[in-house]
Amino acid sequence: MSSTREIADLYAKYVMNTYAQKVALVKGQGTVVSGADGNRYIDFTSGIAVQNVGHAHPKVVQAVAEQMATLNHCSNLFYNEKQALLAKKLVEISDLDVGTKCFFCNSGAEANEAMIKLARLWGHLGGKGDDNGGYVEIVTMMNSFHGRTLATLTATGQAKVQDGFDPLPVGFAYADFNDIESVKAAINDSTVAVMLECIQGEGGVIPADTKFMKALRALCDEREILLLCDEVQCGMGRTGDWFAWQSTGVKPDAFSLAKAIASGVPMGAVVASSKLADVFTPGRHASTFGGNPLACAAALATIGVIESENLLERAADAGDAIMSGLGKIADAHPGLVKAIRGQGLMIGLALDPGKIDAGRVVDAARDIGLLVCKAGGNAIRILPPLNVTDDEIDDGLDILADAIDEVAGA
Ligand SMILES: *Cc1c(COP(=O)(O)O)cnc(C)c1O
């Protein structure tokens, strides 16, 4: 087995330098992962909100192994039952309206890309109700994250994601998150949709206010435009609901999924209410791998585990436990913690940038056995598997407290 050093040397020579890795991982089981150098880590990243049922859950492993040996891919030139069953399940747990349907692809960016295409086509076809159509512009939020394809990085309201990639596609406008007046000002006669994350993930784990969501829904209804939610990170049980929009009291017209949907087998999906469900017709949109039997089997098994192990409830309870643990850490370090935000097991610890660097805390925590993510706004993002145990929570928080002590004292 190679060491992290040897693997890093191969990366330096042969892999484009788009990330800044520090250690190589070789094995994962539940909430624990092992590094190439024999280190053991508590994983509060879940592969960035992907392993919601933990690494290598036996039910998912079995479903994937069986499907791989039976029919892993057959293209969308043919029906496959697993895709039909998964779509039925997603429609049931989303409970949008009668006539809701799904489209499957392979990543979060692709799911958002499909949702953008769906909204534009609806606008072009005169979906708004009147006559001539031609409504194409999508309003997104500042500080959002929607992916790295050209359309989705343009939808992303962060200059650092867009810099150097112009010319960018046209058809996007930006508003301030949690500011309904700003959204109103960004809407014009060619607007077709408003798109947002109910909890901004990369941006620093910033939840949308319920009041803002309700006002958005009313505004979209009034202007006859679409409300689109990006559930790529906050969806699939992470917040204690299947989808984060479910706790806001409003329903979107469509939402996108990816990350946790198939426990790390690449998959993205769009779930669209009846208004949009029949807008795509043969030839309008497609994906070679999208919804193949392997990914669908993984997704069905993942949803089955979340249901049979009551992981929505567990996410809410575990989230409360972590929030109160973080509260104690904040009390022990007056002035260091600016905010503890989030819902369920999507939690952000925002640190005062004038006093401590979140990136250094992430590094220090990793060196003593805890994996956490950095997010925007000098925040540490905590995303454990939904079946994280109480002991793992205690151990993880102890390590995080030690890491903060170390960096703050240095
Ligand atoms: C990760 C993420 C994406 C992009 O997903 P990819 O699978 O990396 O393309 C889009 N939106 C949100 C909210 C995300 O967190």
Side-chain angles (χ1 to χ4, degrees), residues 68 301 311 400:
M68 192 71 193
L311 294 186
L400 183 60

Side-chain angles (χ1 to χ4, degrees), residues 202-243:
E202 307 298 311
V205 191
I206 306 175
D209 304 332
T210 302
K211 213 176 123 212
F212 176 65
M213 290 301 296
K214 292 206 159 113
L216 260 188
R217 179 71 270 179
L219 179 63
C220 290
D221 289 344
E222 181 199 318
R223 302 296 298 255
E224 294 183 277
I225 59 177
L226 304 167
L227 179 60
L228 309 175
C229 287
D230 178 344
E231 289 273 336
V232 168
Q233 186 162 158
C234 55
M236 298 312 297
R238 177 144 295 278
T239 62
D241 288 297
W242 279 112
F243 311 112

Side-chain angles (χ1 to χ4, degrees), residues 317-355:
D317 292 346
D320 288 346
I322 293 179
M323 289 271 195
S324 76
L326 293 176
K328 285 182 195 137
I329 292 177
D331 292 345
H333 298 88
L336 217 60
V337 174
K338 290 191 76 180
I340 301 167
R341 301 186 287 248
Q343 201 174 325
L345 285 171
M346 184 165 178
I347 299 172
L349 180 70
L351 301 172
D352 185 335
K355 300 206 173 103

